[in-house]
Amino acid sequence: MTAIDTATAARVAKLARIRVDDDALPALAQEFGAILGFIEQLQEVDVEGVEPMVSVTPMRLKRRDDVVTDGGMAETVLSNAPDAREGFFAVPKVVE
């Protein structure tokens, strides 16, 4: 298990904007050490030849044809715009 001192635990808590009382720092340091120990344990696993996964259950995303199903109503869409010019949304200039 990786040892984390209370000063490091206090710094991590400050960076994470978590208020931790001084008397709770030793327990927090111990928890951080346990987490890092688990990460070290995971690094020992041989993952050679293992494909990356996006889900724990094998599934494929549903596919559909990439076709335009709506359109040809630019005037209707632009009628909702606070400011439209020459067929486009007009927005205020942000960068000088």
Side-chain angles (χ1 to χ4, degrees), residues 1-2 6 12-13 16-18 22 29 35-36 40-42 52-54 58 62-63 67-68 76-77 86 90 93-94:
M1 183 163 89
T2 303
T6 55
V12 171
R17 298 181 189 272
I18 301 171
D22 288 342
I35 292 168
L36 291 175
E40 287 175 358
Q41 193 176 12
L42 286 175
M53 297 173 24
V54 294
K62 294 179 181 176
R63 305 222 181 234
V67 295
V68 176
T76 306
V77 172
E86 300 176 19
K93 186 176 182 179
V94 178

Side-chain angles (χ1 to χ4, degrees), residues 2-18:
T2 303
I4 300 292
D5 60 4
T6 55
T8 303
R11 184 162 197 263
V12 171
K14 181 179 178 183
L15 290 171
R17 298 181 189 272
I18 301 171

Side-chain angles (χ1 to χ4, degrees), residues 31-60:
E31 285 185 50
F32 285 156
I35 292 168
L36 291 175
F38 181 69
I39 292 171
E40 287 175 358
Q41 193 176 12
L42 286 175
Q43 290 177 342
E44 295 173 4
V45 176
D46 180 20
V47 293
E48 187 70 31
V50 177
E51 293 291 322
M53 297 173 24
V54 294
S55 174
V56 293
T57 57
M59 65 174 121
R60 291 188 49 88

